[in-house]
Amino acid sequence: MEQHKPHYFYVLHCKDNTYYAGYTTDLARRLEEHNSGRGAKYTRLEKRRPLKMIHHESFSTRSEATKAEYAFKQLTRKQKDNYLAHYNKKNS
């Protein structure tokens, strides 16, 4: 039986105190890509690195993960802070 990789929505905290949200199937690889300057255009700027992964959620499909990413990106900064605080409190 074929094993399916999980699909992740993740949030990085940037050195300039901003957030970057994304999608991947490999969290460690993606974080390394961002920190080496090979990730998204937003994280390539030196002022944003190093980045720290502060949140991730696992989904069974790419569609679910990218919908979670999109929904997060629509939030205000205050709403993002509340989301992260609530989710991390709920799962600790």
Side-chain angles (χ1 to χ4, degrees), residues 5 14 17 24 27 31-32 35-36 41 43 56-57 68 87:
K5 284 187 176 184
C14 304
N17 201 34
T24 190
L27 293 168
L31 179 60
E32 192 279 325
N35 274 318
S36 69
K41 185 176 181 180
T43 61
H56 68 275
E57 296 176 44
Y87 190 90

